[in-house]
Amino acid sequence: MNLFETHAHLTDAQFDLDREAVLNRACDAGVETLVEIAESPESWEKAQALAEKTASPRMFWACGFHPHYAERQKDFNFDDMMRRTKSSSCVAVGEIGLDYAKSESSKENQEALFRKTLEIAGELNKPVIIHCRDAQADTLRILRSFYSGLSRRELCMGVIHCFSGDSNFAEGCMDLGFYLGVDGPLTYPSAKGLRDVISKVPLEKIVLETDCPYLPPQPFRGKRNEPAYLTHVAQKLSEIFARSEDEISLVTAANARRLFRV
Ligand SMILES: [Zn+2]
Ligand SMILES: [Zn+2]
């Protein structure tokens, strides 16, 4: 197995006591490469430092500004985000996007922040990692308006992380060149609808993620998630696509390398 974990939050305080052991277990489980996701200005420095000091798995990071923090952008200086995103260990801008399910930020402020951070990614030619919760129509509207003027092939594009939604949304994202990130919820007994949607997506458009410490796969529900559990997502995809777990990990890792250009 050579798994590529595209979405982890290992700087979360839930890993403070055993981060090293978690990384070792990830290696033992076959995770070769990992992208650490920084979602707020407070986590940028930590995520960058962790990525740059970790040798195995090979680690990169993404510089993001989650919609939960959209109310704070007014007094924020985005030069620091530009500067950090330019560093060679930073492979993407994200997570960014819209969250209409849980966020206390207004839709207007979320959209303004989403557009601002898309512009930064465009300027620096980095892919984006999109968080979209209960906001499919607005996400597609904004992505279409942002990418319509640009040549698609030249674009760095990105991934819709923790994909949820129907086939229309999946098609819309893939038409724009986006990959779909799948994680623990794919393994839940109640997620038949999601498995149906994913079964119609070409495997060449799928990347694996855990979104740890959140969204543990079925055997670990109620517990902390970690990158080693990526094998459970790979196993579920292997059932859905009737291909071996090795093939699933090879193809999705190649997709992730294309996406992040590493
Ligand atoms: Zn997210
Ligand atoms: Zn996340």
Side-chain angles (χ1 to χ4, degrees), residues 136 163-171 197:
Q136 280 96 338
F163 179 83
S164 67
D166 59 15
S167 286
N168 283 337
F169 183 52
E171 291 290 334
V197 172

Side-chain angles (χ1 to χ4, degrees), residues 64-68 70 93-100 103 106-107 109-115 117-118 128-133 135 139 142-143:
F65 207 138
H66 196 285
H68 288 332
V93 169
E95 56 190 291
I96 57 173
L98 302 173
D99 193 319
Y100 295 168
S103 189
S106 71
K107 288 187 178 178
N109 282 339
Q110 290 193 39
E111 177 160 347
L113 177 62
F114 190 15
R115 288 184 181 276
T117 45
L118 282 172
V128 288
I129 297 165
I130 309 285
H131 172 99
C132 168
R133 192 69 43 86
T139 297
I142 293 165
L143 290 177

Side-chain angles (χ1 to χ4, degrees), residues 7 9 66 95 131 133 161-162 211:
H7 198 111
H9 298 278
H66 196 285
E95 56 190 291
H131 172 99
R133 192 69 43 86
H161 111 83
C162 191
D211 203 12

Side-chain angles (χ1 to χ4, degrees), residues 14 31 47 62 82 90 93 95 112 116 121-123 136 140 152 161 180 182 188 193 195 202 217 231 236 255:
Q14 290 187 52
V31 175
M82 289 285 267
C90 178
V93 169
E95 56 190 291
K116 175 77 194 164
E123 197 165 319
Q136 280 96 338
L140 276 182
R152 207 175 283 175
H161 111 83
L180 309 184
V182 299
Y188 299 167
R195 285 190 289 276
T231 50
K236 188 51 78 179
N255 299 342

